[in-house]
Amino acid sequence: MPLETPSRIVQELVRRGYNAEREAVTLLAGAANPSLALERAVERAPDDALRLTTEHVRAALDDGALATDADPPVSTGTPPVQSSESEDSSPVETKGSNEPSPMANAPSATGAPATTDTSTTTDTPATTDASTTTDTPATTDASTTRDTQTATDASPAAATRRSRDPGRRSVEIDGDVTGRSTGTGEYGQFVTTFRDRYERLSKLLRGRVNHRPAEAIAKMSGGSDAEMIGLVNDVRSTASGHWLVELEDTTGTFPCLVMKNKGIADLVDELLMDECVAVQGTLSDDAGILFVDSLHFPDVPRTYRPSTADRHVQAALVSDVHVGSQEFMLDAWQRFTSWLHTEEAEAVEYLLLAGDMVEGVGIYPNQDEELSIVDIYDQYEAFSEHLKEVPGDVEIVMIPGNHDAVRLAEPQPGFDEELRGIMSAHDARVTGNPSTVTVEGVSVLMYHGVSLDEVIAELPSEKASYDEPHRAMYQLLKKRHVAPQYGGHMRLAPEEKDYLVIEDVPDVFHTGHVHKLGWGKYHNVLAVNSGCWQAQTAFQKSVNIDPDSGYAPILDLDTLDMTVRKFS
Ligand code: D5M
Ligand code: FE
Ligand code: ZN
């Protein structure tokens, strides 16, 4: 096949088992005879090389027979990237909101594609008309593309080259359970995990209330003021419509009554079992119950100021690739990976993958009827091939999801040695679910998101829904725990420490799982649910889940602005 576009070159290299640096592909595309150049470059590469580098290509191009009109090779010899194929694949770009949207106030415009009120927001992917954005002249200065809705695939030769500097990259990982799991699942270990949860979350609330242990409150005299921090043990409505909330600390439990006519009764709607809250109130005459006046969540301070990178660099935040499913959207994925090779994507130096790399086997009833690859290892082999299409110089970090071949109970350790071996071609970093990944100073809490199903099922729809998954994420930030309620969808593995506590406020919170795109800011923390690369499954159809497939949220690490690109 003629190799006239970077995307064809990438596909051909992948077919031959290579992952390639972005610039290597650009060089090949710019060669006088790309097919021959590719042939020679592959010959030049050492037998054990998994990645084709610019050096391999330069060495091949330096062979007289392959001389291009490019000198230096990157600056001239415009490759025909604007072929019909790349025009088709030219993604839609929309701009994310950077408005803070505090929970307590009226809903502000955020980036959920299903937002219906388009008059208040311009960042709704569904409202962007692709036809108006794809045929605009290419923007050549990458730094200006951040502010425009109309960037298209820029010709690499026409664009100004900004030097990528791998030396400035940095990725640090925290809160990873991989290799540290001590849990055997015994009852006593759950007690240890919950104690750790209580200790760490109650610390966040101590500044706001003067905590008395449940045991001490029980001995106080009737009518006195009392304040307590506890895990929610039970929530019941009373015969007269009030709420009885039982809180538990390390000394025992205490019943707290929230009257239905109090403003805070609304907050009871938000309560999940096992989350940590504080209450202030007055004891009944017999000191048997606490009448609650105020209720506090550990929360994120409204004054939180996120960190940013000190250069213009971007990260693509994606999840739920589901390779091995008949609904895996190969074309959309390849448009995305081809786009990553273009000049326009030059600042995208990181790719964060928040779980569900493959479809897995036996995850849901009747799932096997929709598999295109039935063996789990073959699924990872195929996924690895698709990962190779990502430029070799993009740093990848990945955590597992509920479809991946690691334990289902959370925290989930990262992929084992065997799976890492299968996925080694791209040198991706593998870490557990959840993990905090700090990229050039910006901390990104990555969590697959199984608890979001729970939060959405339990809370009123204005506080959490599939159409606005970021609002469900706000709840997790407010509770400072990625999966407070245990026992439903979410399975908990007891560990010495509760890895699911959000001890430090992240700058960005990235989840997937619900297959819906949505983002917004909560107390200045950017919450992003990244959609998926799988079309609607039979199950999703049966329950009316309409997935947002084939979108890539692109995050500016220097400004924390978001741009969503559509590849489907
Ligand atoms: O989950 C994708 C979304 O769909 C997530 O919200 C769970 C839901 N889902 C999908 N299949 C099922 C079945 N069979 N039962 C219950 N919920 C389901 P993912 O984990 O990516 O498949
Ligand atoms: Fe998924
Ligand atoms: Zn999932």
Side-chain angles (χ1 to χ4, degrees):
M1 81 182 158
L3 296 177
E4 77 277 26
T5 67
S7 102
R8 292 242 168 86
I9 289 169
V10 173
Q11 305 310 330
E12 180 59 19
L13 286 170
V14 167
R15 202 180 62 74
R16 291 161 183 247
Y18 289 96
N19 158 250
E21 284 180 1
R22 204 164 358 195
E23 203 163 309
V25 173
T26 310
L27 281 174
L28 288 172
N33 182 340
S35 303
L36 189 59
L38 183 143
E39 216 56 65
R40 290 282 158 81
V42 167
E43 278 165 23
R44 288 268 170 179
D47 288 346
D48 58 349
L50 294 169
R51 177 175 303 171
L52 198 75
T53 66
T54 39
E55 279 66 44
H56 300 145
V57 180
R58 286 222 172 88
L61 293 176
D62 285 346
D63 284 358
L66 274 171
T68 69
D69 48 357
D71 184 27
V74 291
S75 61
T76 51
T78 310
V81 284
Q82 301 273 26
S83 71
S84 60
E85 189 195 45
S86 62
E87 266 163 21
D88 284 345
S89 67
S90 189
V92 176
E93 181 180 60
T94 56
K95 194 84 173 79
S97 161
N98 55 5
E99 289 283 294
S101 42
M103 278 297 296
N105 295 339
S108 64
T110 53
T115 304
T116 46
D117 180 6
T118 53
S119 62
T120 62
T121 171
T122 55
D123 52 11
T124 316
T127 63
T128 309
D129 180 356
S131 63
T132 65
T133 61
T134 50
D135 53 13
T136 320
T139 309
T140 50
D141 180 354
S143 68
T144 65
T145 65
R146 289 188 289 136
D147 306 318
T148 167
Q149 309 280 312
T150 55
T152 63
D153 277 359
S155 151
T160 311
R161 233 175 215 301
R162 191 180 36 248
S163 59
R164 237 177 286 129
D165 185 357
R168 297 184 72 180
R169 291 190 192 157
S170 77
V171 176
E172 280 163 37
I173 292 175
D174 279 310
D176 175 16
V177 71
T178 313
R180 299 196 183 91
S181 176
T182 53
T184 55
E186 283 159 31
Y187 177 73
Q189 288 184 323
F190 281 98
V191 176
T192 310
T193 311
F194 281 105
R195 259 177 203 260
D196 181 69
R197 175 181 304 189
Y198 179 73
E199 260 161 42
R200 292 196 291 140
L201 289 178
S202 63
K203 249 188 224 148
L204 299 176
L205 288 157
R206 298 238 178 206
R208 274 173 277 169
V209 298
N210 181 17
H211 168 70
R212 297 250 169 264
E215 206 176 54
I217 294 178
K219 292 183 189 141
M220 287 168 75
S221 42
S224 21
D225 291 341
E227 307 186 347
M228 178 181 170
I229 302 172
L231 299 185
V232 176
N233 202 36
D234 193 21
V235 181
R236 255 174 297 156
S237 62
T238 67
S240 38
H242 304 304
W243 295 102
L244 194 63
V245 179
E246 189 176 73
L247 293 187
E248 178 170 11
D249 67 11
T250 50
T251 68
T253 62
F254 204 85
C256 306
L257 194 80
V258 180
M259 310 285 277
K260 65 179 174 198
N261 49 354
K262 288 244 176 199
I264 54 166
D266 234 21
L267 294 178
V268 176
D269 281 346
E270 287 182 18
L271 289 181
L272 293 176
M273 292 305 128
D274 309 315
E275 72 166 296
C276 188
V277 295
V279 292
Q280 295 172 303
T282 312
L283 285 173
S284 58
D285 289 344
D286 65 356
I289 202 162
L290 179 73
F291 294 110
V292 181
D293 291 321
S294 66
L295 174 67
H296 309 271
F297 295 89
D299 222 324
V300 172
R302 280 172 190 280
T303 51
Y304 182 71
R305 286 286 163 264
S307 305
T308 52
D310 53 17
R311 62 175 183 136
H312 176 56
V313 59
Q314 298 176 313
L317 272 44
V318 309
S319 68
D320 297 274
V321 190
H322 289 267
V323 171
S325 159
Q326 286 170 15
E327 286 82 19
F328 166 55
M329 296 171 73
L330 177 65
D331 290 351
W333 176 262
Q334 290 189 335
R335 267 183 220 121
F336 168 53
T337 54
S338 296
W339 174 76
L340 287 175
H341 284 271
T342 67
E343 196 72 21
E344 206 174 31
E346 196 187 33
V348 183
E349 298 194 30
Y350 300 92
L351 170 63
L352 307 185
L353 283 161
D356 285 358
M357 310 301 148
V358 300
E359 174 64 10
V361 176
I363 310 292
Y364 293 125
N366 304 323
Q367 184 205 18
D368 48 339
E369 290 164 17
E370 288 186 75
L371 291 180
S372 64
I373 305 173
V374 295
D375 180 88
I376 184 78
Y377 292 103
D378 292 345
Q379 292 182 359
Y380 281 101
E381 297 277 3
F383 172 70
S384 180
E385 292 302 301
H386 296 308
L387 213 51
K388 276 189 207 157
E389 295 155 12
V390 174
D393 45 5
V394 169
E395 294 270 351
I396 302 179
V397 183
M398 53 187 179
I399 64 167
N402 57 312
H403 283 251
D404 286 299
V406 304
R407 80 170 178 204
L408 194 54
E410 297 176 12
Q412 296 180 286
F415 301 111
D416 66 16
E417 290 306 321
E418 189 172 4
L419 294 174
R420 285 176 205 227
I422 294 176
M423 295 184 275
S424 64
H426 203 301
D427 255 357
R429 278 169 224 250
V430 165
T431 178
N433 170 38
S435 286
T436 298
V437 180
T438 304
V439 185
E440 300 201 17
V442 178
S443 61
V444 182
L445 172 59
M446 295 179 70
Y447 169 63
H448 177 59
V450 167
S451 69
L452 295 172
D453 284 328
E454 204 92 58
V455 174
I456 291 168
E458 297 283 327
L459 267 46
S461 62
E462 68 278 9
K463 294 192 174 172
S465 69
Y466 285 107
D467 285 337
E468 294 186 297
H470 50 286
R471 289 193 187 279
M473 299 173 75
Y474 296 171
Q475 289 289 331
L476 300 178
L477 288 167
K478 189 170 184 175
K479 296 163 194 305
R480 296 287 288 267
H481 199 281
V482 297
Q485 184 158 303
Y486 142 72
H489 299 268
M490 188 266 170
R491 289 170 210 198
L492 179 73
E495 297 290 348
E496 263 157 38
K497 162 181 159 185
D498 186 350
Y499 286 86
L500 308 176
V501 167
I502 306 176
E503 184 148 23
D504 297 315
V505 177
D507 301 321
V508 179
F509 184 22
H510 174 204
T511 60
H513 181 64
V514 295
H515 293 205
K516 295 297 278 185
L517 178 66
W519 73 98
K521 286 195 179 170
Y522 177 69
H523 297 183
N524 303 323
V525 176
L526 176 68
V528 185
N529 195 284
S530 47
C532 63
W533 300 86
Q534 184 185 38
Q536 192 182 46
T537 64
F539 168 83
Q540 289 166 351
K541 192 165 187 185
S542 74
V543 295
N544 268 334
I545 297 178
D546 183 16
D548 293 320
S549 314
Y551 293 90
I554 309 292
L555 172 68
D556 278 4
L557 291 165
D558 50 338
T559 59
L560 301 189
D561 283 345
M562 272 253 312
T563 304
V564 172
R565 287 182 169 268
K566 188 175 191 301
F567 296 96
S568 48

